[in-house]
Amino acid sequence: MDLELLHKMCKEDTRKSFNEFKRVIDVNLFPFNQNVKEDLLNQLTQGLCSRTVKEFVANNNLSVNQLQYLKNVTNQYKRIALTTSINYCKRLV
């Protein structure tokens, strides 16, 4: 399993998801409130790193330990995305 590729793909997926999160907020389609924030945060994490997980599962014969490591890494990037997004929302309140 290529760990450098794993982190690179997770970073790309996280950046793409966060940029979409910012775009939806900045367009101001809806007045920003707690419900909109929660919905956007849910959308942010739903597909986050799914491309990476599919790529690694399809192209590698991963052991149980490698699958656990993959899960831990993707969860780490989800936490980073959520923390960054919550901080971004603070400027709107």
Side-chain angles (χ1 to χ4, degrees):
M1 182 165 79
D2 186 350
L3 299 181
E4 186 176 323
L5 179 62
L6 172 63
H7 284 280
K8 180 179 182 252
M9 290 179 72
C10 283
K11 285 178 187 176
E12 290 171 356
D13 290 346
T14 303
R15 173 52 58 189
K16 182 179 176 184
S17 294
F18 179 67
N19 284 341
E20 179 62 16
F21 175 84
K22 286 190 331 185
R23 186 192 67 77
V24 171
I25 288 176
D26 292 342
V27 169
N28 288 324
L29 291 176
F30 306 102
F32 188 78
N33 59 35
Q34 189 64 28
N35 292 334
V36 171
K37 176 184 170 184
E38 289 175 12
D39 286 345
L40 290 175
L41 290 174
N42 285 334
Q43 285 178 357
L44 173 76
T45 58
Q46 280 180 352
L48 189 63
C49 295
S50 61
R51 175 184 69 100
T52 302
V53 171
K54 286 178 188 176
E55 169 90 16
F56 273 82
V57 170
N59 296 328
N60 298 288
N61 186 13
L62 301 177
S63 69
V64 173
N65 289 338
Q66 288 173 322
L67 285 171
Q68 185 62 41
Y69 184 80
L70 177 63
K71 179 183 171 188
N72 291 343
V73 169
T74 56
N75 286 339
Q76 173 190 357
Y77 281 95
K78 285 180 183 182
R79 282 191 303 274
I80 291 169
L82 282 173
T83 302
T84 305
S85 300
I86 290 168
N87 288 338
Y88 186 80
C89 289
K90 286 179 183 177
R91 73 176 183 84
L92 302 172
V93 178

Coordinates of all heavy atoms in Angstrom, one line a residue:
M1 N 0.9 -1.2 0.0 CA 0.0 0.0 0.0 C 0.9 1.2 0.0 O 1.8 1.4 0.8 CB -0.9 0.0 1.2 CG -1.9 1.1 1.3 SD -3.2 0.9 2.5 CE -2.5 1.3 4.0
D2 N 0.6 2.1 -0.9 CA 1.4 3.3 -1.1 C 0.9 4.4 -0.1 O -0.1 5.1 -0.4 CB 1.4 3.8 -2.5 CG 2.3 5.0 -2.8 OD1 2.8 5.6 -1.9 OD2 2.5 5.3 -4.0
L3 N 1.6 4.6 1.0 CA 1.1 5.6 2.0 C 1.2 7.0 1.5 O 0.3 7.8 1.8 CB 1.9 5.4 3.3 CG 1.8 4.1 3.9 CD1 2.6 4.0 5.2 CD2 0.4 3.7 4.2
E4 N 2.2 7.3 0.7 CA 2.3 8.7 0.2 C 1.1 9.0 -0.7 O 0.5 10.1 -0.6 CB 3.6 8.8 -0.6 CG 3.9 10.2 -1.1 CD 5.2 10.4 -1.7 OE1 6.2 9.7 -1.3 OE2 5.3 11.1 -2.7
L5 N 0.7 8.1 -1.6 CA -0.4 8.2 -2.5 C -1.7 8.3 -1.6 O -2.6 9.2 -2.0 CB -0.5 7.1 -3.4 CG -1.7 7.1 -4.4 CD1 -1.6 8.4 -5.3 CD2 -1.7 5.8 -5.3
L6 N -1.8 7.5 -0.6 CA -3.0 7.6 0.2 C -3.2 9.0 0.8 O -4.3 9.6 0.7 CB -2.9 6.6 1.4 CG -3.9 6.6 2.5 CD1 -5.3 6.4 1.9 CD2 -3.6 5.7 3.6
H7 N -2.2 9.6 1.4 CA -2.3 10.9 2.0 C -2.5 12.0 0.9 O -3.3 12.9 1.1 CB -1.0 11.2 2.8 CG -1.0 10.5 4.1 ND1 -1.7 10.9 5.2 CD2 -0.4 9.4 4.5 CE1 -1.6 10.1 6.2 NE2 -0.7 9.1 5.8
K8 N -1.9 11.8 -0.2 CA -2.0 12.8 -1.3 C -3.5 12.8 -1.8 O -4.1 13.8 -1.9 CB -1.1 12.4 -2.5 CG -1.2 13.4 -3.6 CD -0.3 13.0 -4.8 CE -0.4 13.9 -5.9 NZ -1.0 13.4 -7.1
M9 N -4.1 11.6 -2.0 CA -5.4 11.5 -2.4 C -6.4 12.0 -1.4 O -7.4 12.7 -1.7 CB -5.8 10.1 -2.8 CG -5.1 9.6 -4.1 SD -5.4 7.9 -4.5 CE -7.1 8.1 -5.1
C10 N -6.1 11.7 -0.1 CA -7.0 12.2 0.9 C -7.0 13.7 1.0 O -8.0 14.4 1.2 CB -6.6 11.6 2.3 SG -7.2 9.9 2.5
K11 N -5.8 14.3 0.9 CA -5.7 15.8 0.9 C -6.4 16.4 -0.3 O -7.1 17.4 -0.1 CB -4.2 16.2 0.8 CG -3.4 16.0 2.1 CD -2.0 16.3 1.9 CE -1.2 16.0 3.2 NZ 0.3 16.2 3.0
E12 N -6.3 15.8 -1.4 CA -7.0 16.3 -2.6 C -8.6 16.2 -2.4 O -9.3 17.2 -2.7 CB -6.7 15.5 -3.9 CG -5.3 15.8 -4.3 CD -4.8 14.8 -5.4 OE1 -5.6 13.9 -5.8 OE2 -3.7 15.0 -5.9
D13 N -9.0 15.1 -1.9 CA -10.5 14.9 -1.6 C -10.9 15.9 -0.6 O -12.0 16.5 -0.7 CB -10.8 13.5 -1.2 CG -10.6 12.5 -2.3 OD1 -10.5 12.9 -3.4 OD2 -10.6 11.3 -1.9
T14 N -10.2 16.1 0.5 CA -10.5 17.0 1.6 C -10.6 18.4 1.0 O -11.5 19.2 1.3 CB -9.5 16.9 2.7 OG1 -9.5 15.5 3.2 CG2 -9.9 17.8 3.9
R15 N -9.6 18.8 0.3 CA -9.6 20.2 -0.3 C -10.8 20.4 -1.2 O -11.5 21.4 -1.2 CB -8.3 20.4 -1.0 CG -8.2 21.7 -1.8 CD -8.5 23.0 -1.0 NE -7.6 23.2 0.1 CZ -7.9 24.1 1.0 NH1 -8.9 24.9 0.9 NH2 -7.1 24.2 2.1
K16 N -11.1 19.4 -2.1 CA -12.2 19.5 -3.0 C -13.5 19.7 -2.2 O -14.3 20.5 -2.5 CB -12.2 18.3 -3.9 CG -13.3 18.3 -4.9 CD -13.3 17.1 -5.8 CE -14.5 17.1 -6.8 NZ -14.5 15.9 -7.6
S17 N -13.7 18.9 -1.2 CA -14.9 18.9 -0.4 C -15.1 20.2 0.4 O -16.1 20.8 0.4 CB -15.0 17.8 0.6 OG -15.1 16.5 -0.1
F18 N -13.9 20.7 0.9 CA -14.0 22.0 1.7 C -14.3 23.1 0.7 O -15.0 24.0 1.1 CB -12.7 22.2 2.4 CG -12.6 23.5 3.2 CD1 -13.5 23.7 4.3 CD2 -11.8 24.5 2.8 CE1 -13.5 24.9 5.0 CE2 -11.8 25.7 3.5 CZ -12.6 25.9 4.6
N19 N -13.7 23.1 -0.4 CA -13.9 24.2 -1.4 C -15.4 24.2 -1.8 O -16.0 25.3 -2.0 CB -13.0 24.1 -2.6 CG -11.6 24.5 -2.4 OD1 -11.4 25.2 -1.4 ND2 -10.7 24.1 -3.2
E20 N -16.0 23.1 -2.0 CA -17.4 23.0 -2.3 C -18.3 23.5 -1.1 O -19.2 24.3 -1.3 CB -17.9 21.6 -2.6 CG -19.3 21.4 -2.9 CD -19.8 22.2 -4.1 OE1 -19.0 22.6 -5.0 OE2 -21.0 22.4 -4.3
F21 N -17.9 23.2 0.1 CA -18.5 23.7 1.3 C -18.5 25.2 1.3 O -19.5 25.9 1.6 CB -17.8 23.1 2.5 CG -18.3 23.6 3.9 CD1 -19.4 23.0 4.5 CD2 -17.6 24.6 4.5 CE1 -19.8 23.5 5.7 CE2 -18.0 25.1 5.7 CZ -19.2 24.5 6.3
K22 N -17.3 25.8 1.1 CA -17.2 27.2 1.1 C -18.0 27.9 0.0 O -18.6 28.9 0.2 CB -15.7 27.6 0.9 CG -14.8 27.4 2.1 CD -13.5 28.0 2.0 CE -12.9 28.2 0.6 NZ -11.5 28.7 0.6
R23 N -18.0 27.2 -1.2 CA -18.7 27.8 -2.3 C -20.2 27.9 -2.0 O -20.9 28.9 -2.3 CB -18.5 26.9 -3.6 CG -19.2 27.5 -4.8 CD -19.2 26.5 -6.0 NE -20.1 25.4 -5.7 CZ -21.4 25.5 -5.8 NH1 -22.0 26.6 -6.1 NH2 -22.2 24.4 -5.5
V24 N -20.8 26.8 -1.4 CA -22.2 26.8 -1.1 C -22.5 27.9 -0.1 O -23.5 28.6 -0.2 CB -22.6 25.4 -0.6 CG1 -24.1 25.5 0.0 CG2 -22.5 24.4 -1.7
I25 N -21.7 28.1 0.9 CA -21.9 29.1 1.9 C -21.8 30.5 1.3 O -22.6 31.4 1.5 CB -20.9 29.0 3.1 CG1 -21.3 27.8 3.9 CG2 -20.9 30.3 3.9 CD1 -20.3 27.5 5.0
D26 N -20.7 30.7 0.5 CA -20.5 32.0 -0.1 C -21.5 32.5 -1.2 O -21.7 33.7 -1.4 CB -19.1 32.1 -0.7 CG -18.0 32.0 0.4 OD1 -18.3 32.2 1.5 OD2 -16.8 31.7 0.0
V27 N -22.2 31.5 -1.8 CA -23.2 31.9 -2.8 C -24.4 32.5 -2.1 O -25.2 33.2 -2.7 CB -23.6 30.6 -3.6 CG1 -24.8 30.8 -4.4 CG2 -22.4 30.2 -4.5
N28 N -24.6 32.2 -0.8 CA -25.8 32.7 0.0 C -27.1 32.3 -0.6 O -28.0 33.2 -0.7 CB -25.7 34.2 0.1 CG -24.6 34.6 1.0 OD1 -24.3 34.0 2.0 ND2 -23.9 35.7 0.7
L29 N -27.3 31.1 -1.0 CA -28.6 30.6 -1.5 C -29.6 30.6 -0.3 O -30.8 30.8 -0.5 CB -28.5 29.3 -2.1 CG -27.7 29.2 -3.4 CD1 -27.6 27.7 -3.9 CD2 -28.4 30.0 -4.5
F30 N -29.1 30.3 0.9 CA -29.9 30.2 2.0 C -29.4 31.1 3.1 O -28.2 31.3 3.2 CB -30.0 28.8 2.6 CG -30.4 27.8 1.5 CD1 -29.4 27.0 0.9 CD2 -31.7 27.6 1.2 CE1 -29.7 26.1 0.0 CE2 -32.0 26.7 0.2 CZ -31.1 25.9 -0.4
P31 N -30.2 31.7 3.9 CA -29.7 32.4 5.1 C -29.0 31.5 6.0 O -29.5 30.4 6.3 CB -30.9 33.0 5.7 CG -32.1 32.4 5.1 CD -31.7 31.7 3.9
F32 N -27.8 31.9 6.4 CA -27.0 31.0 7.2 C -27.5 30.9 8.6 O -27.7 31.9 9.3 CB -25.5 31.4 7.2 CG -24.6 30.5 7.8 CD1 -24.2 29.4 7.1 CD2 -24.1 30.6 9.1 CE1 -23.3 28.4 7.7 CE2 -23.3 29.7 9.7 CZ -22.9 28.6 9.0
N33 N -27.8 29.6 9.1 CA -28.2 29.4 10.4 C -27.6 28.0 10.9 O -27.0 27.3 10.1 CB -29.7 29.5 10.6 CG -30.4 28.5 9.7 OD1 -30.0 27.4 9.5 ND2 -31.6 29.0 9.2
Q34 N -28.0 27.6 12.1 CA -27.4 26.3 12.6 C -27.9 25.1 11.8 O -27.1 24.2 11.5 CB -27.9 26.2 14.1 CG -27.2 25.0 14.8 CD -25.7 25.2 14.9 OE1 -25.2 26.3 14.9 NE2 -25.0 24.1 14.9
N35 N -29.1 25.1 11.3 CA -29.6 24.0 10.5 C -28.9 23.9 9.1 O -28.5 22.8 8.7 CB -31.1 24.1 10.2 CG -31.9 23.9 11.4 OD1 -31.5 23.3 12.4 ND2 -33.1 24.6 11.5
V36 N -28.6 25.0 8.5 CA -27.9 25.0 7.2 C -26.5 24.5 7.5 O -25.9 23.7 6.7 CB -27.9 26.4 6.6 CG1 -26.9 26.5 5.4 CG2 -29.3 26.8 6.2
K37 N -25.9 25.0 8.6 CA -24.5 24.6 8.9 C -24.4 23.1 9.1 O -23.5 22.5 8.6 CB -24.1 25.3 10.2 CG -22.7 24.9 10.7 CD -22.4 25.6 12.0 CE -21.2 25.1 12.7 NZ -21.0 25.7 14.0
E38 N -25.3 22.5 9.9 CA -25.3 21.1 10.1 C -25.5 20.3 8.8 O -24.9 19.3 8.6 CB -26.4 20.7 11.2 CG -26.0 21.2 12.6 CD -27.1 20.9 13.6 OE1 -28.1 20.2 13.3 OE2 -27.0 21.5 14.7
D39 N -26.4 20.7 8.0 CA -26.7 20.1 6.7 C -25.4 20.1 5.8 O -25.0 19.1 5.2 CB -27.8 20.7 6.0 CG -29.2 20.3 6.6 OD1 -29.2 19.4 7.4 OD2 -30.2 21.0 6.2
L40 N -24.8 21.3 5.8 CA -23.6 21.4 5.0 C -22.4 20.5 5.5 O -21.6 19.9 4.8 CB -23.1 22.8 4.9 CG -24.0 23.7 4.0 CD1 -23.6 25.2 4.1 CD2 -24.1 23.3 2.6
L41 N -22.3 20.5 6.8 CA -21.3 19.6 7.5 C -21.5 18.2 7.2 O -20.6 17.4 6.9 CB -21.2 19.9 9.0 CG -20.6 21.2 9.4 CD1 -20.7 21.4 10.9 CD2 -19.2 21.4 8.9
N42 N -22.8 17.7 7.2 CA -23.1 16.4 6.8 C -22.8 16.1 5.4 O -22.2 15.0 5.1 CB -24.6 16.1 7.1 CG -24.9 15.9 8.6 OD1 -24.0 15.6 9.3 ND2 -26.1 16.2 8.9
Q43 N -23.1 17.0 4.5 CA -22.8 16.8 3.1 C -21.2 16.7 2.9 O -20.8 15.9 2.1 CB -23.3 18.0 2.2 CG -24.8 17.9 2.0 CD -25.3 19.1 1.2 OE1 -24.5 20.0 0.9 NE2 -26.5 19.1 0.9
L44 N -20.5 17.5 3.6 CA -19.1 17.6 3.5 C -18.5 16.2 3.8 O -17.6 15.7 3.1 CB -18.5 18.6 4.5 CG -17.0 18.7 4.7 CD1 -16.4 19.3 3.4 CD2 -16.6 19.4 5.9
T45 N -18.9 15.6 4.9 CA -18.3 14.3 5.3 C -18.8 13.1 4.6 O -18.2 12.0 4.6 CB -18.5 14.1 6.8 OG1 -19.9 14.1 7.2 CG2 -17.7 15.2 7.6
Q46 N -20.0 13.1 4.0 CA -20.6 12.0 3.4 C -19.7 11.3 2.3 O -19.5 10.1 2.4 CB -22.0 12.3 2.8 CG -23.0 12.3 3.9 CD -24.4 12.6 3.3 OE1 -24.5 13.0 2.1 NE2 -25.4 12.5 4.1
G47 N -19.2 12.1 1.4 CA -18.5 11.5 0.3 C -17.0 11.7 0.5 O -16.2 11.4 -0.4
L48 N -16.6 12.3 1.6 CA -15.2 12.6 1.8 C -14.3 11.4 1.7 O -14.6 10.4 2.5 CB -15.0 13.4 3.1 CG -13.6 14.0 3.3 CD1 -13.3 15.0 2.3 CD2 -13.6 14.6 4.7
C49 N -13.3 11.4 0.9 CA -12.3 10.3 0.8 C -12.9 9.0 0.2 O -12.2 8.0 0.2 CB -11.6 10.0 2.1 SG -10.6 11.4 2.7
S50 N -14.1 9.0 -0.3 CA -14.7 7.8 -0.9 C -14.0 7.4 -2.1 O -13.8 6.2 -2.3 CB -16.2 8.0 -1.1 OG -16.4 9.0 -2.1
R51 N -13.5 8.3 -2.9 CA -12.8 8.0 -4.1 C -11.5 7.3 -3.7 O -11.1 6.3 -4.3 CB -12.4 9.3 -4.9 CG -11.5 9.1 -6.1 CD -11.2 10.5 -6.7 NE -10.3 11.3 -5.9 CZ -9.0 11.4 -6.1 NH1 -8.4 10.8 -7.0 NH2 -8.3 12.2 -5.3
T52 N -10.8 7.8 -2.7 CA -9.6 7.2 -2.2 C -9.8 5.8 -1.7 O -9.0 4.9 -2.0 CB -9.0 8.1 -1.1 OG1 -8.8 9.4 -1.6 CG2 -7.7 7.5 -0.6
V53 N -10.8 5.6 -0.9 CA -11.1 4.3 -0.4 C -11.4 3.3 -1.5 O -10.9 2.2 -1.5 CB -12.3 4.3 0.6 CG1 -12.7 2.9 1.0 CG2 -11.9 5.1 1.9
K54 N -12.2 3.7 -2.5 CA -12.5 2.8 -3.6 C -11.3 2.5 -4.4 O -11.1 1.3 -4.8 CB -13.5 3.5 -4.5 CG -14.9 3.6 -4.0 CD -15.8 4.3 -5.0 CE -17.2 4.6 -4.4 NZ -18.0 5.4 -5.3
E55 N -10.4 3.5 -4.6 CA -9.2 3.2 -5.3 C -8.3 2.2 -4.6 O -7.8 1.3 -5.2 CB -8.4 4.6 -5.5 CG -7.0 4.5 -6.0 CD -6.9 4.6 -7.5 OE1 -7.9 5.0 -8.1 OE2 -5.9 4.2 -8.0
F56 N -8.1 2.4 -3.3 CA -7.2 1.5 -2.6 C -7.8 0.1 -2.4 O -7.1 -0.9 -2.5 CB -6.8 2.1 -1.2 CG -5.7 3.0 -1.3 CD1 -5.8 4.3 -1.8 CD2 -4.4 2.6 -1.0 CE1 -4.7 5.2 -1.9 CE2 -3.3 3.4 -1.1 CZ -3.4 4.7 -1.6
V57 N -9.1 0.0 -2.2 CA -9.7 -1.3 -2.0 C -9.7 -2.1 -3.4 O -9.4 -3.3 -3.4 CB -11.1 -1.2 -1.4 CG1 -11.9 -2.5 -1.5 CG2 -11.0 -0.7 0.0
A58 N -10.0 -1.4 -4.5 CA -10.0 -2.0 -5.8 C -8.7 -2.4 -6.3 O -8.5 -3.5 -7.0 CB -10.7 -1.1 -6.8
N59 N -7.7 -1.6 -6.0 CA -6.3 -1.9 -6.6 C -5.3 -2.6 -5.7 O -4.2 -2.8 -6.1 CB -5.7 -0.6 -7.1 CG -6.6 0.0 -8.2 OD1 -7.2 -0.7 -9.0 ND2 -6.6 1.4 -8.3
N60 N -5.7 -2.9 -4.5 CA -4.8 -3.5 -3.5 C -5.5 -4.6 -2.8 O -6.7 -4.6 -2.6 CB -4.3 -2.5 -2.5 CG -3.5 -1.4 -3.1 OD1 -2.4 -1.5 -3.6 ND2 -4.1 -0.2 -3.1
N61 N -4.8 -5.7 -2.5 CA -5.3 -6.8 -1.7 C -4.9 -6.4 -0.3 O -3.9 -6.8 0.2 CB -4.7 -8.1 -2.1 CG -5.3 -9.3 -1.4 OD1 -6.4 -9.1 -0.8 ND2 -4.7 -10.4 -1.5
L62 N -5.8 -5.7 0.4 CA -5.4 -5.1 1.7 C -5.7 -6.1 2.8 O -6.7 -6.8 2.9 CB -6.2 -3.8 2.0 CG -6.0 -2.7 1.0 CD1 -6.9 -1.5 1.3 CD2 -4.6 -2.2 1.0
S63 N -4.8 -6.1 3.8 CA -5.0 -7.0 5.0 C -5.9 -6.2 5.9 O -6.2 -5.1 5.7 CB -3.6 -7.2 5.6 OG -3.1 -6.0 6.2
V64 N -6.3 -6.9 7.0 CA -7.1 -6.3 8.0 C -6.4 -5.1 8.6 O -7.1 -4.0 8.8 CB -7.5 -7.3 9.1 CG1 -8.3 -6.7 10.2 CG2 -8.3 -8.5 8.5
N65 N -5.2 -5.2 8.9 CA -4.4 -4.1 9.5 C -4.3 -2.9 8.5 O -4.4 -1.7 8.9 CB -3.0 -4.5 9.9 CG -3.0 -5.4 11.1 OD1 -4.0 -5.4 11.8 ND2 -1.9 -6.2 11.2
Q66 N -4.2 -3.2 7.2 CA -4.1 -2.1 6.2 C -5.5 -1.4 6.1 O -5.5 -0.2 5.9 CB -3.6 -2.7 4.9 CG -2.2 -3.0 4.9 CD -1.7 -3.7 3.6 OE1 -2.5 -4.5 3.0 NE2 -0.5 -3.4 3.1
L67 N -6.5 -2.2 6.1 CA -7.9 -1.6 6.1 C -8.1 -0.7 7.3 O -8.7 0.3 7.2 CB -8.9 -2.7 6.0 CG -9.1 -3.4 4.7 CD1 -10.0 -4.7 4.8 CD2 -9.6 -2.5 3.6
Q68 N -7.7 -1.2 8.4 CA -7.8 -0.4 9.7 C -7.0 0.9 9.5 O -7.5 2.0 9.9 CB -7.4 -1.1 10.9 CG -7.6 -0.4 12.2 CD -9.1 -0.1 12.5 OE1 -9.9 -1.0 12.2 NE2 -9.4 1.1 12.9
Y69 N -5.8 0.8 9.0 CA -5.0 2.0 8.8 C -5.7 3.0 7.8 O -5.7 4.2 8.0 CB -3.6 1.6 8.3 CG -2.7 2.8 8.1 CD1 -2.0 3.3 9.2 CD2 -2.5 3.4 6.9 CE1 -1.2 4.4 9.1 CE2 -1.7 4.5 6.8 CZ -1.0 5.0 7.9 OH -0.2 6.1 7.8
L70 N -6.2 2.4 6.7 CA -6.9 3.2 5.7 C -8.1 4.0 6.4 O -8.3 5.2 6.2 CB -7.4 2.3 4.6 CG -8.3 3.0 3.5 CD1 -7.5 4.0 2.7 CD2 -8.8 1.9 2.5
K71 N -8.9 3.2 7.2 CA -10.0 3.8 7.9 C -9.5 5.0 8.9 O -10.1 6.0 8.9 CB -10.7 2.8 8.7 CG -11.9 3.3 9.5 CD -12.5 2.1 10.3 CE -13.6 2.7 11.3 NZ -14.0 1.7 12.2
N72 N -8.4 4.7 9.6 CA -7.9 5.7 10.5 C -7.5 7.0 9.8 O -7.7 8.1 10.2 CB -6.8 5.2 11.3 CG -7.2 4.1 12.3 OD1 -8.4 4.0 12.6 ND2 -6.3 3.3 12.8
V73 N -6.8 6.8 8.6 CA -6.3 8.0 7.9 C -7.5 8.8 7.3 O -7.5 10.0 7.4 CB -5.4 7.5 6.7 CG1 -5.1 8.7 5.8 CG2 -4.1 7.0 7.3
T74 N -8.5 8.1 6.8 CA -9.7 8.8 6.2 C -10.4 9.5 7.3 O -10.9 10.6 7.1 CB -10.6 7.9 5.4 OG1 -11.0 6.8 6.2 CG2 -9.9 7.4 4.2
N75 N -10.5 8.9 8.5 CA -11.2 9.5 9.6 C -10.4 10.8 10.1 O -11.0 11.8 10.5 CB -11.4 8.6 10.8 CG -12.5 7.6 10.6 OD1 -13.4 7.8 9.7 ND2 -12.5 6.5 11.3
Q76 N -9.1 10.7 10.0 CA -8.2 11.8 10.4 C -8.5 13.0 9.5 O -8.7 14.1 9.9 CB -6.8 11.4 10.3 CG -5.8 12.6 10.5 CD -4.4 12.2 10.2 OE1 -4.1 11.0 9.9 NE2 -3.5 13.1 10.2
Y77 N -8.6 12.8 8.2 CA -8.9 13.8 7.2 C -10.3 14.4 7.4 O -10.6 15.5 7.2 CB -8.6 13.4 5.8 CG -7.1 13.4 5.5 CD1 -6.3 12.3 5.6 CD2 -6.5 14.6 5.1 CE1 -5.0 12.4 5.4 CE2 -5.2 14.7 4.9 CZ -4.4 13.6 5.0 OH -3.0 13.6 4.8
K78 N -11.3 13.5 7.8 CA -12.6 14.0 8.0 C -12.6 14.9 9.2 O -13.3 16.0 9.2 CB -13.6 12.8 8.3 CG -13.9 12.1 7.0 CD -14.9 10.9 7.4 CE -15.2 10.1 6.1 NZ -16.1 9.0 6.3
R79 N -11.9 14.6 10.3 CA -11.8 15.5 11.4 C -11.2 16.8 11.0 O -11.6 17.9 11.5 CB -11.0 14.8 12.5 CG -11.8 13.8 13.3 CD -11.0 13.3 14.6 NE -9.7 12.8 14.3 CZ -9.4 11.5 14.0 NH1 -10.4 10.6 13.9 NH2 -8.2 11.1 13.8
I80 N -10.1 16.8 10.2 CA -9.5 18.0 9.8 C -10.5 18.9 9.0 O -10.6 20.1 9.2 CB -8.3 17.7 8.9 CG1 -7.1 17.1 9.8 CG2 -7.8 19.0 8.2 CD1 -6.0 16.5 9.0
A81 N -11.2 18.2 8.1 CA -12.2 19.0 7.3 C -13.3 19.6 8.1 O -13.7 20.7 7.9 CB -12.8 18.0 6.2
L82 N -13.8 18.8 9.1 CA -14.8 19.3 10.0 C -14.3 20.5 10.9 O -15.0 21.5 11.0 CB -15.4 18.2 10.9 CG -16.3 17.2 10.3 CD1 -16.6 16.1 11.2 CD2 -17.6 17.9 9.9
T83 N -13.2 20.3 11.4 CA -12.6 21.4 12.2 C -12.4 22.7 11.4 O -12.8 23.8 11.9 CB -11.2 21.0 12.8 OG1 -11.4 19.8 13.6 CG2 -10.6 22.0 13.7
T84 N -11.9 22.5 10.2 CA -11.6 23.7 9.3 C -13.0 24.3 9.0 O -13.1 25.5 8.9 CB -10.9 23.2 8.1 OG1 -9.7 22.6 8.5 CG2 -10.5 24.4 7.2
S85 N -13.9 23.5 8.7 CA -15.3 24.0 8.2 C -16.0 24.7 9.4 O -16.6 25.8 9.2 CB -16.1 22.9 7.7 OG -15.5 22.3 6.6
I86 N -15.9 24.2 10.6 CA -16.5 24.8 11.7 C -15.8 26.2 12.0 O -16.5 27.2 12.3 CB -16.4 23.9 13.0 CG1 -17.4 22.7 12.8 CG2 -16.8 24.6 14.2 CD1 -17.2 21.6 13.7
N87 N -14.5 26.2 11.9 CA -13.8 27.5 12.1 C -14.2 28.5 11.0 O -14.3 29.7 11.2 CB -12.3 27.3 12.1 CG -11.8 26.6 13.3 OD1 -12.5 26.6 14.4 ND2 -10.7 25.9 13.2
Y88 N -14.4 28.0 9.8 CA -14.8 28.9 8.7 C -16.2 29.5 9.0 O -16.5 30.6 8.7 CB -14.8 28.1 7.4 CG -15.1 28.9 6.1 CD1 -14.1 29.7 5.6 CD2 -16.4 29.0 5.6 CE1 -14.4 30.5 4.4 CE2 -16.7 29.7 4.5 CZ -15.7 30.5 3.9 OH -15.9 31.3 2.8
C89 N -17.1 28.6 9.6 CA -18.4 29.1 9.9 C -18.5 30.1 11.0 O -19.4 31.0 11.0 CB -19.3 27.9 10.3 SG -19.7 26.8 8.9
K90 N -17.5 30.1 11.9 CA -17.5 31.0 13.0 C -17.4 32.5 12.5 O -17.9 33.4 13.1 CB -16.3 30.7 13.9 CG -16.5 29.5 14.7 CD -15.3 29.3 15.6 CE -15.5 28.0 16.4 NZ -14.3 27.7 17.2
R91 N -16.8 32.7 11.3 CA -16.7 34.1 10.8 C -18.1 34.6 10.3 O -18.3 35.8 10.2 CB -15.7 34.2 9.7 CG -16.1 33.5 8.4 CD -15.1 33.7 7.3 NE -15.6 33.2 6.0 CZ -16.4 33.8 5.2 NH1 -16.8 35.0 5.4 NH2 -16.8 33.2 4.1
L92 N -19.0 33.7 10.1 CA -20.3 34.1 9.6 C -21.3 34.4 10.7 O -22.4 34.9 10.5 CB -20.9 32.9 8.8 CG -20.0 32.6 7.6 CD1 -20.6 31.3 6.9 CD2 -19.9 33.7 6.6
V93 N -21.0 33.9 11.9 CA -22.0 34.1 13.0 C -21.8 35.4 13.7 O -20.9 36.1 13.7 CB -21.8 32.9 14.1 CG1 -22.8 33.1 15.2 CG2 -22.0 31.6 13.4

